Amino acid sequence: MRVYLNRSLVTATGTRVPRLAGVEAFPNPATTQLTVSRPAALRGPLTATLFDALGREVRRAEVAAPTSTVPVADLPRGFYVLRLAAPTGVTSQRIVVQ
């Protein structure tokens, strides 16, 4: 069996969205909060959206500063996907909450 990971995002209109560079979230695994770090050169709003294993949105936060936090202490333990979106691109990261 082979599993392929598609790291590109294609919108409903068929347009490919560029991947954000230099944006990261840590620690992973997280217990109380995630720290989202963005490059100072990245202008405009950055939205951090956390989805549970079933794809339901469980948290949304705006990341305005170069370093911001997203609380996760109240979330059940498990696997999540953090989607970081800006006008210039999108990136996703798997997150474990302990």
Side-chain angles (χ1 to χ4, degrees):
M1 178 171 91
R2 292 183 183 179
V3 177
Y4 296 96
L5 179 61
N6 183 356
R7 293 186 179 261
S8 66
L9 178 70
V10 178
T11 65
T13 61
T15 306
R16 187 174 296 260
V17 177
R19 185 169 166 84
L20 284 178
V23 179
E24 55 184 0
F26 56 90
N28 193 10
T31 53
T32 59
Q33 67 184 18
L34 282 170
T35 300
V36 178
S37 174
R38 63 185 277 171
L42 181 62
R43 300 285 178 207
L46 178 66
T47 303
T49 310
L50 199 60
F51 298 94
D52 67 9
L54 298 176
R56 297 176 296 203
E57 182 179 315
V58 295
R59 181 84 16 97
R60 181 180 294 248
E62 294 297 319
V63 179
T67 303
S68 298
T69 59
V70 177
V72 296
D74 62 325
L75 297 176
R77 292 171 52 167
F79 295 98
Y80 294 84
V81 172
L82 177 66
R83 182 177 186 266
L84 300 165
T88 57
V90 176
T91 190
S92 296
Q93 179 179 344
R94 191 176 340 184
I95 301 292
V96 177
V97 174
Q98 292 184 332

